[in-house]
Amino acid sequence: MTGTRGTTRRTRWRLGLFAGALSMVMVTLGMTFAVSAQAAAGCKVAYSANQWPGGFTANVAVTNLGDPINGWRLTWTFPSGQQVTSAWNATVTATGSAVTATNVGYNAALPTNGTASFGFNGSWTGTNTAPTTFALNGVTCTGGVGPTTAPPTTPPVTTPPPTTPPPVGDPMAYVAAMQPGWNLGNTFDAVGADETAWGNPRVTEAQLDAIRAQGFNSIRIPVTWSNHHGPAPAYTIDTAWLNRVKEVVGWALDDGFYVMINLHHDSWQWINTMPTDRTNVLNRYNALWTQIAAAFKDASPKLHLESVNEPQFANSSGDAQNAQLLHELNTSFHRIVRASGGNNATRMLVLPTVYTQTDQARADELLATINQLNDRNLIATVHFYGYWPFSVNVAGGTRFDATTQKDLTDQFDRVYNTFVTRNIPVIVGEYGLLGFDRHTGTIQQGEKLKFFEFLGHYAKSRRLTTQLWDNGQHFNRTTFQWRDAELWAQIRSSWTTRSGTASSDQVYVPRTGAVTAKSLTLNLNGTTFSGLRQGNTNLVQGTDYTVSGSQLTLTASALTRLVGSRAYGVNATLHARFSTGVPWRIDVISYDPPVLSNATGSTTAFAVPTQFRGDQLATMEAKYADGSNAGPHNWTSFKEFDVTFSPDYTGNRITLTEAFFAEVNAGSRVTLTFHFWSGATVTYHVTKSGSTVTGTTA
């Protein structure tokens, strides 16, 4: 069986984690969804593919014609034996030619006449015949509507608490000592032959030494076991794989790390089928943990075990069944590890919420499990990737604003109040921004710096231990250097102190016309402003800049000197300095409004010729002539950065993607509004006719 999700093999594969975040966005926009136990069902599917020798890209749009549903599964069979190699906007699994695509968290809800779109890359030999028959949640898509029945449920199973709890230790102190933490991502969790399957180098002692030297005290080593064990009933783990995991865990412990290992992508590869295959899933899960527990029972107490990463369940009857199934997994894991003896009798064990979400209901479910287990040596874990529109740059979520900050404080407050106030420690086992899965430039630099500055501060105030998700996009595991030194400096500083920031890290000065004074709002964050510097030269307060309250103003004379000949782009870089933390970089940029040109192309290859003229693209809106929203995520006019559009500053173009045109109505003119960081907006028009696209400025 194969399972794919994401845009590249290095992408952080994730399911359902942000269903709650998107639900909040939908409610804000006045959209609600309901699920009927006895509902009318029907669907239609649009399937298109673009192929090349041996490979192809397919886009699928499934429209729900029946009553609203929450959670969908689309199935089909490839007539020519094609294979899926990677996917986006859905989790795609295959057994032979039979394929199943399951919603991810943010597109689970399908109202009547609502459409979900996803895509995948595949391979083929001989012929690449398109599938013609699809089924949505078991109902064949005929373009009509008929009745269906309520989903099956699984009877609740309860597990009694242990009769002899392990000795009471100091779990809060244990987890506090783990701060800060780092994830060895896309390595042992990679779905493939070995730890290098997703492009990261083989782990060495030197790599771990280098990470330890950065100041990290704990390391999470995600492990996917599904490709490395034998068949039922024993599910014997491959000796070489287990020994390799033990070797790297040993190196990490020798380095002084606190170390976590788990069952990682097993969660969406096979554990998620538990609602319909409970016995087989539980047998496999128990067999793996029995072997893992035995292998590590004599390891240092600084090793802790996590029951499962981001637990999720396909085709369940809803939240109640999800909670019951996870309770069964967590309690079975607890029983097996404790019974294995050695240091496992008192080892710290890590238990997640459903999807590792922070919703109050999910936290309460985990609290009930922990209370029932009556074991002080337990740790709760959640994951945090920010307010979804900001995290991926969609729906106009370009800034770390009050809404984005409140989402963070609300989530951290919930886990603090549910667990920490009861002396149950919490690990934020992964944190970052979802847009980083594509590249870290999806989120504007200054805005992401403010996000990480505040996250580190607020996690510390809520006594949460954090573990940075790094799939290779942050720390270069060959050169042992940070790919973005400025981001790393902000993250590291946030562990211990606040840093001052500002409303922007950019000051735009028009290339033509008189230079005027420009102002920024300082975010002191409890610090005091101590000065402004260019390189090693201090600027003069009163002459080069003024400060009034929280407003920093660069004078016209200073800006005239700084922009020099006013060449397009960054002319000077300043640093605002504060009493604590890292300085705040301010780029002084000369620009003119960008200029776009007419173009023609195809739905798979279209770019808008663009003279950026020193400016940078923030976001893009897409609307039809009647004012309705065009393209994917049609609940908002603002499209997702790097998924539907992306700037190419070197190539002087803005690319519109195949994913964008897949959800644009043929023959309908779409007005695009490009929003730039200078504040400039430029409109453009595109029309799709078949596979041809025409773009005009008029």
Side-chain angles (χ1 to χ4, degrees), residues 40-44 62-68 111-114 136 141-145:
C43 52
K44 63 179 181 180
V62 54
T63 300
N64 173 35
L65 302 178
D67 287 349
T112 302
N113 295 320
L136 177 63
C141 296
T142 63
V145 179

Side-chain angles (χ1 to χ4, degrees), residues 216-250:
F216 290 103
N217 291 321
S218 62
I219 184 169
R220 183 172 180 255
I221 305 178
V223 185
T224 299
W225 303 85
S226 58
N227 289 0
H228 303 285
H229 65 70
Y235 300 104
T236 303
I237 297 173
D238 299 342
T239 300
W241 180 253
L242 183 57
N243 286 342
R244 175 60 177 156
V245 173
K246 290 175 67 176
E247 179 179 46
V248 173
V249 167

Side-chain angles (χ1 to χ4, degrees), residues 444-451 453 486 490 499-506 520-523 525 529 531-533 552 573-578 580-587:
Q444 196 273 337
Q445 182 74 0
E447 301 306 315
K448 78 167 75 90
L449 293 176
K450 287 183 276 189
F451 170 83
E453 191 281 332
E486 183 179 49
Q490 190 67 269
S499 293
T501 64
S503 54
S504 179
D505 61 345
Q506 304 172 109
L520 295 172
T521 300
L522 297 175
N523 305 314
N525 298 330
F529 176 75
L532 197 60
R533 183 177 293 179
L552 169 68
T573 297
L574 311 177
H575 285 92
R577 307 181 74 83
F578 301 89
T580 63
V582 296
W584 181 255
R585 173 190 44 77
I586 303 169
D587 287 335

Side-chain angles (χ1 to χ4, degrees), residues 77 240 261 340 356-357 394 414 480 524 529 575 633 654 690:
T77 299
I261 61 172
S340 63
T356 55
Q357 286 180 341
V394 73
R414 284 195 294 270
F480 302 161
L524 294 174
F529 176 75
H575 285 92
H633 299 314
I654 300 172

Side-chain angles (χ1 to χ4, degrees), residues 48-50 57-59 603-605 643-644 656-663:
S48 62
N50 177 51
T57 295
N59 288 288
T603 54
T604 59
V643 170
T644 58
L656 302 182
T657 67
E658 185 177 7
F660 172 72
F661 287 114
E663 298 192 41

Side-chain angles (χ1 to χ4, degrees), residues 140-180:
T140 301
C141 296
T142 63
V145 179
T148 187
T149 56
T153 59
T154 301
V157 178
T158 59
T159 302
T163 54
T164 306
V168 175
D170 191 352
M172 292 295 296
Y174 180 100
V175 171
M178 292 171 56
Q179 175 68 4

